[in-house]
Amino acid sequence: MTRFVTRGCVDFATLVRPLLSGLSWADPQRRWSRQCPSSWLLLWALITSSTLVTGLGCQRSSPAVDSAKPLTNAGTHTVVAKDVAVVKDTVPVKDTLVVKDTVPAKDVVPTKDVVPTKDVVVAKDAVVAKDAVVAKDAVVAKPSAPGPAESKQPATLTTTGAQLFTQHCASCHGERGDGKGIAAAFLFPRPRDFTTGRFRLVSASNNVPTRDDIQAVLVRGMPGSAMPPWAHLSQSDRDALVDEVLRLRTEGVREAYIRQLKEDEGLSDEKIAASEVQKSIQDYVNNLSVPGEVRPVPTIGPPTAEAIARGKENYAKFVCISCHGETGRGDGVQAMNDDDGTPTRPRDFTLGIFKGNPDPASLYRRIAFGMPGTPMPASSAMTPEQMVDLVHYIRSLSTEEQRQAAVPKREKIVAQRVSSIPGSESAEAWSSVKSVSLRTTPLWWRADTSADFAVQAVHDGTTLAVRFSWLDATEDQQAWQSESFKDAVALELYQGDSEPFLGMGSLTAPVDVWFWDADRQNGQLAVEKLHPNAVTDVYPFSEAAVTSAELTRAGARLADQPDISLPARAVGNQIVPRNAGSGGSSLTAGGPRTVTFRPPQSQLVQAKGTWKDGRWTVVMTRPLAVAASAGDRISLEPGGRASLAFALWDGGHRDRNGQKSITIWQDFELER
């Protein structure tokens, strides 16, 4: 058996473990050797011939993704390693995303240090890698009204609640409302299970949500989770969605109870159809799906220094500090779980991020009645007066500005017309262009996310340039090792009367994706730079004889290898960096897990970014007009409108794939 090392095998063992004999480290200086069987040519053929459907699962490393079923609407590309776009931990997965398969991981979960790792498709240095563009809820957009006011798109009387739910909600909450949507595995906390789960923000005595409770969540979203606000929808559309959520709840409770009667009591369908059993079922359903009396809240006056001081005493006396910490930073007990076993952690009051409304009456209800299904209990030991004082103290730990900033808002971004596009991302001309600040939300929640993300746009009648700027404490430009990830940003563009799902559009409403990542901008990285002390055997296609075991010998370096050794480069795989100086890529998507690179001739997006003083600044450019045959590639013109949304990947927090931060849809307009 011939023993040798190829860059095509580096970090590829987990994908073709039966074909590889393993990896061993010879010493602490990263001297290594890998043995491949004599069937290496078979492996090479596998690499060059196999294709992988791109999309939510085809990124550097992601939460549990399932993709056994082929995606008929998704493009394909060859998966390769390092020079061949190193693929690591590639695992075939199914179409059914079950959140319980997602393993919380480090630096990402509200429970301290958790990272989704199970069943992930990863491409080391692949553009669709951790930095990979979009995943669940990738960011997209459509022209809707700015701010939390009514949508400028008219409510369609023919649109039912079920249709709206399918369009906006089912990808996360599932078509049946059971919290098992196609994108659910990319979200932490999990999407709510409407059928049997317990609603958190309730005002009724039996903890069943009222229409107003659900409406409030639609308008404001749930800060501290991936649930965005839907205030841009018309009132009639939101009412229809409330009807659908309540219908799913009722049907889910009924189905669960009937299943229980069959399994626990052995009742047949005939017995269940009996009138007395049907009445029992209806009583049970009503108890869990019809809200009881709304619990009253006492009059809460303005905060005073005395009330806040009393509230601080109550905070310690009634052991709020055991979970939320002495200073309210959520640093008390950390090992906490919801009723369904999902890890959770106490809220950090100093950030001003409250899942429900932070107004005094809403906070009073959460203190008095708890949050069903969570470790937050009802406070039966306190008097109403003590709870009012506690409300004032909790609110004193954050500012109104913080509390309002926690809610993503829809803004209007205008591309100013200029005589010429600024020459670089740091050009002085950008100082006169209006900057729009947007709130980003991590889909895999972490408390230390930054709200500092700014967007500017200009065009000269033929070219559009979009400039992004955001805080990032670490410059993650290369995915040097399997545990390292790179920084990236993406823009999604959509035109149409009704925006598709926020996460990568849909089959009938595809989106145009512009993507920049630091690694691609820097070009392909040779293995010898990663592992300068590597020891290697013969490369069969570039060496006739081996004179030493070091990479310094002739014929062993990446530059010496012919295309037959680097099949991904040879076939033009878009994942492989091209040393072109641009970190930009053009992609398309027609729903979660369908993100696909456009062919080389359609790669029109150019992008360049710089990191300085803890801040990334990136500029993307693309011609306004594209060929009519471009299909879902969106052509723009002066005076035109579209919708935009954005996504950020922070390599320092191990972001990749669906683990990222996103904005909601934003309105976009080009000056004439």
Side-chain angles (χ1 to χ4, degrees):
M1 178 180 294
T2 302
R3 186 171 69 90
F4 55 87
V5 178
T6 75
R7 293 176 180 78
C9 290
V10 175
D11 286 335
F12 203 62
T14 53
L15 177 63
V16 288
R17 199 173 299 279
L19 297 179
L20 298 178
S21 59
L23 170 68
S24 61
W25 294 99
D27 61 45
Q29 283 76 42
R30 300 184 186 281
R31 302 176 66 88
W32 50 262
S33 65
R34 183 188 298 276
Q35 294 187 2
C36 296
S38 58
S39 56
W40 182 87
L41 287 177
L42 175 60
L43 170 60
W44 179 84
L46 170 65
I47 296 172
T48 56
S49 63
S50 63
T51 57
L52 184 65
V53 176
T54 59
L56 286 182
C58 284
Q59 327 248 335
R60 181 160 215 69
S61 172
S62 72
V65 185
D66 204 291
S67 78
K69 297 180 181 178
L71 297 174
T72 57
N73 63 310
T76 62
H77 57 262
T78 306
V79 176
V80 285
K82 186 53 192 154
D83 45 282
V84 178
V86 178
V87 175
K88 57 186 174 204
D89 301 338
T90 305
V91 179
V93 283
K94 283 192 185 166
D95 269 342
T96 305
L97 296 177
V98 183
V99 177
K100 68 183 180 183
D101 286 300
T102 303
V103 179
K106 183 165 190 225
D107 293 330
V108 278
V109 185
T111 351
K112 187 153 193 156
D113 299 352
V114 189
V115 165
T117 54
K118 179 171 182 160
D119 296 353
V120 292
V121 176
V122 197
K124 157 109 184 174
D125 306 310
V127 160
V128 203
K130 113 217 137 197
D131 48 77
V133 65
V134 258
K136 133 74 215 158
D137 359 300
V139 274
V140 211
K142 136 58 295 220
S144 291
E150 296 290 314
S151 170
K152 64 188 177 187
Q153 53 184 355
T156 56
L157 297 178
T158 58
T159 303
T160 66
Q163 290 172 323
L164 289 167
F165 188 89
T166 297
Q167 179 179 356
H168 299 299
C169 315
S171 290
C172 297
H173 292 283
E175 293 183 2
R176 299 181 64 253
D178 56 6
K180 297 178 182 179
I182 190 173
F186 298 95
L187 308 179
F188 190 93
R190 299 179 185 181
R192 185 72 60 240
D193 177 357
F194 298 135
T195 62
T196 58
R198 305 181 70 182
F199 289 75
R200 305 295 191 249
L201 306 175
V202 294
S203 57
S205 56
N206 60 350
N207 288 335
V208 174
T210 65
R211 294 185 63 85
D212 287 344
D213 291 335
I214 300 175
Q215 189 74 239
V217 174
L218 287 175
V219 170
R220 190 174 182 273
M222 291 189 75
S225 76
M227 173 65 183
W230 298 95
H232 63 282
L233 296 180
S234 67
Q235 182 66 55
S236 60
D237 279 358
R238 293 201 304 271
D239 286 342
L241 279 174
V242 171
D243 290 338
E244 180 64 10
V245 170
L246 293 176
R247 183 189 70 79
L248 291 169
R249 173 64 174 179
T250 300
E251 289 188 359
V253 170
R254 179 185 299 278
E255 290 175 3
Y257 188 53
I258 291 175
R259 186 164 54 249
Q260 179 182 338
L261 291 176
K262 290 182 177 181
E263 295 175 356
D264 296 348
E265 301 185 26
L267 296 187
S268 63
D269 289 338
E270 183 179 356
K271 290 182 178 180
I272 289 175
S275 58
E276 62 273 16
V277 177
Q278 285 296 310
K279 182 179 185 306
S280 172
I281 292 174
Q282 190 59 50
D283 290 343
Y284 180 87
V285 170
N286 289 343
N287 185 53
L288 293 181
S289 60
V290 177
E293 182 181 358
V294 174
R295 292 171 286 204
V297 173
T299 300
I300 302 177
T304 63
E306 294 76 16
I308 293 174
R310 291 193 302 269
K312 185 175 183 179
E313 292 176 0
N314 294 333
Y315 181 82
K317 178 180 178 180
F318 295 99
V319 296
C320 302
I321 60 174
S322 65
C323 295
H324 294 282
E326 293 186 6
T327 59
R329 295 185 178 276
D331 52 0
V333 175
Q334 298 298 298
M336 307 179 75
N337 294 281
D338 289 336
D339 284 358
D340 60 4
T342 303
T344 187
R345 66 176 298 172
R347 184 67 56 200
D348 181 346
F349 295 134
T350 67
L351 298 177
I353 300 175
F354 295 88
K355 279 193 174 181
N357 201 305
D359 67 276
S362 296
L363 288 181
Y364 180 94
R365 284 196 177 95
R366 263 164 273 159
I367 294 171
F369 313 125
M371 296 180 69
T374 77
M376 176 64 191
S379 303
S380 57
M382 278 191 276
T383 66
E385 293 74 20
Q386 288 173 321
M387 285 186 278
V388 168
D389 290 340
L390 182 55
V391 165
H392 289 316
Y393 172 67
I394 291 173
R395 283 174 54 86
S396 74
L397 298 177
S398 62
T399 66
E400 185 63 24
E401 181 181 10
Q402 285 178 297
R403 295 189 286 269
Q404 292 302 319
V407 181
K409 295 179 176 61
R410 187 161 182 146
E411 305 288 354
K412 184 176 183 179
I413 301 170
V414 177
Q416 297 176 211
R417 181 142 193 172
V418 296
S419 57
S420 62
I421 300 297
S424 71
E425 62 273 17
S426 58
E428 178 63 27
W430 286 109
S431 62
S432 61
V433 178
K434 181 180 178 181
S435 177
V436 178
S437 295
L438 302 176
R439 177 79 186 192
T440 60
T441 298
L443 299 180
W444 200 263
W445 180 255
R446 59 175 182 264
D448 58 350
T449 181
S450 171
D452 188 331
F453 178 67
V455 179
Q456 299 167 279
V458 297
H459 77 92
D460 62 1
T462 59
T463 300
L464 172 66
V466 183
R467 184 177 188 254
F468 313 91
S469 179
W470 70 94
L471 289 175
D472 189 338
T474 59
E475 180 185 18
D476 301 291
Q477 291 208 32
Q478 296 276 5
W480 292 86
Q481 298 171 331
S482 60
E483 66 271 20
S484 55
F485 304 91
K486 47 204 173 183
D487 298 327
V489 64
L491 169 159
E492 286 191 332
L493 183 63
Y494 176 77
Q495 282 181 325
D497 294 331
S498 181
E499 291 167 352
F501 172 56
L502 183 61
M504 302 317 298
S506 66
L507 286 172
T508 57
V511 295
D512 199 7
V513 180
W514 304 6
F515 181 65
W516 170 90
D517 73 280
D519 192 55
R520 173 168 292 267
Q521 176 175 293
N522 291 329
Q524 190 173 9
L525 188 65
V527 171
E528 53 264 25
K529 292 184 178 180
L530 292 174
H531 305 290
N533 297 318
V535 176
T536 184
D537 293 326
V538 62
Y539 282 90
F541 303 114
S542 62
E543 297 181 287
V546 178
T547 58
S548 87
E550 303 300 320
L551 274 174
T552 54
R553 71 176 189 268
R557 291 185 174 276
L558 180 68
D560 300 330
Q561 307 307 310
D563 282 349
I564 194 172
S565 293
L566 307 172
R569 186 177 73 183
V571 300
N573 192 322
Q574 293 296 306
I575 288 179
V576 181
R578 294 295 172 185
N579 297 310
S582 169
S585 302
S586 298
L587 301 98
T588 183
R593 295 173 33 209
T594 66
V595 131
T596 306
F597 278 92
R598 296 186 184 279
Q601 63 270 26
S602 297
Q603 290 294 321
L604 303 180
V605 174
Q606 297 293 308
K608 182 70 181 295
T610 57
W611 184 89
K612 183 179 180 181
D613 299 329
R615 191 175 196 88
W616 274 110
T617 303
V618 175
V619 171
M620 294 184 185
T621 60
R622 198 210 74 175
L624 289 179
V626 294
S629 60
D632 56 349
R633 197 169 58 189
I634 296 174
S635 192
L636 300 168
E637 62 182 4
R641 297 171 180 268
S643 296
L644 298 178
F646 309 92
L648 290 176
W649 288 263
D650 183 347
H653 279 98
R654 305 177 71 182
D655 283 354
R656 72 277 194 186
N657 192 25
Q659 185 179 305
K660 62 185 177 185
S661 297
I662 69 166
T663 72
I664 61 173
W665 289 105
Q666 311 295 326
D667 295 313
F668 182 58
E669 180 178 329
L670 292 85
E671 285 186 350
R672 293 187 180 278

